[in-house]
Amino acid sequence: MIGHRLFRLGPTLKWVKTLVLLIPFALFSDHLLAQSADSKQTAEATTETRLLILGDSLSAGYGLLQAQSWVSLLQNIWNEQQRGIEVINAAISGETTDGGLARLPRLLTQHNPTHVLVELGGNDGLQGHNVTKLQQNLTQIVQLAKQHGAKVFLQDMQIPTNYGRRYNQMFSNSFKQVAQSEGIPLIPFFLEDIALNEALMQRDGIHPNAEGQPLIAEFMAKQLTPYLDESSQH
């Protein structure tokens, strides 16, 4: 699920094979950064900000230990800064906007997040899903989170150029249109620079490796912290 501007493209067959890797692995339990039930309740009592990440393999730490993923490293950054932010990683490898929309109501009730980052759509694009349906799903996801009282961020996504110029343009525009129509921040695609460097990518050419994860965490901290700080002041 890498953008067409980001790296050298391989044969189309490479992307077809990749889809097999991105099929959901029936991981219905959400990654909660190794918190027990008791410690989680204690954290919720003292944490003002809870960021739920609704994402796919790029946020689920595909091919890595959970502690190596950018989401866990982002939590570490905020812990070191003593910001009182809890990150709830609800990303699943292979997730589409259909799956995210279906899971979201339970996640909102279970975790009661103050903020939601939507990092979905890449698998929809790789599988050639209808762009109108993609946009509708993203809109519903954003609106559901808003109705629950959460502030929402939408992660921009990109796909390779071999899906055709027209489809690529429609896909890319979907995220901008949803962000604009819903009045929410559009976070730049976090592999913009990383995917250009093979040393930072796994052998599949799709997912960042352990060396690339800290760079994503730092990038996302710079992108998200100002919005979270602004919210905490209200």
Side-chain angles (χ1 to χ4, degrees), residues 44-200:
E44 287 183 349
T46 58
T47 302
E48 295 182 357
T49 303
R50 291 180 300 281
L51 173 65
L52 174 72
I53 298 180
L54 186 68
D56 53 33
S57 58
L58 292 181
S59 296
Y62 177 87
L64 304 169
L65 297 175
Q66 190 62 34
Q68 295 176 306
S69 71
W70 73 262
V71 177
S72 294
L73 297 177
L74 177 62
Q75 177 73 82
N76 293 343
I77 290 173
W78 282 333
N79 286 347
E80 291 173 1
Q81 297 174 348
Q82 299 182 337
R83 289 187 176 276
I85 300 172
E86 177 189 3
V87 182
I88 304 162
N89 193 358
I92 292 180
S93 292
E95 187 71 292
T96 63
T97 57
D98 282 326
L101 179 58
R103 290 194 301 127
L104 184 58
R106 178 179 61 83
L107 291 170
L108 292 172
T109 300
Q110 180 180 357
H111 302 295
N112 194 30
T114 57
H115 298 76
V116 175
L117 171 66
V118 182
E119 185 271 300
L120 290 173
N123 287 318
D124 298 62
L126 289 176
Q127 297 173 24
H129 288 188
N130 182 281
V131 174
T132 300
K133 184 65 162 59
L134 162 69
Q135 190 168 336
Q136 290 173 346
N137 284 347
L138 289 174
T139 299
Q140 286 185 265
I141 288 171
V142 172
Q143 292 178 349
L144 275 174
K146 282 183 174 181
Q147 290 168 11
H148 197 81
K151 295 184 182 299
V152 188
F153 313 118
L154 181 61
Q155 182 77 59
D156 196 14
M157 302 297 293
Q158 298 175 20
I159 56 174
T161 57
N162 54 327
Y163 284 79
R165 181 176 179 180
R166 181 174 180 275
Y167 185 85
N168 277 75
Q169 191 65 50
M170 292 173 60
F171 176 87
S172 179
N173 287 341
S174 294
F175 298 89
K176 299 179 179 65
Q177 291 170 0
V178 172
Q180 291 175 359
S181 63
E182 292 299 319
I184 62 174
L186 181 66
I187 306 301
F189 189 44
F190 52 56
L191 294 184
E192 187 79 35
D193 297 319
I194 290 174
L196 291 170
N197 188 343
E198 293 182 358
L200 299 176

Side-chain angles (χ1 to χ4, degrees), residues 10-20 162:
T12 302
L13 179 60
K14 175 181 177 182
W15 293 96
V16 175
K17 291 181 179 179
T18 299
L19 294 181
V20 177
N162 54 327

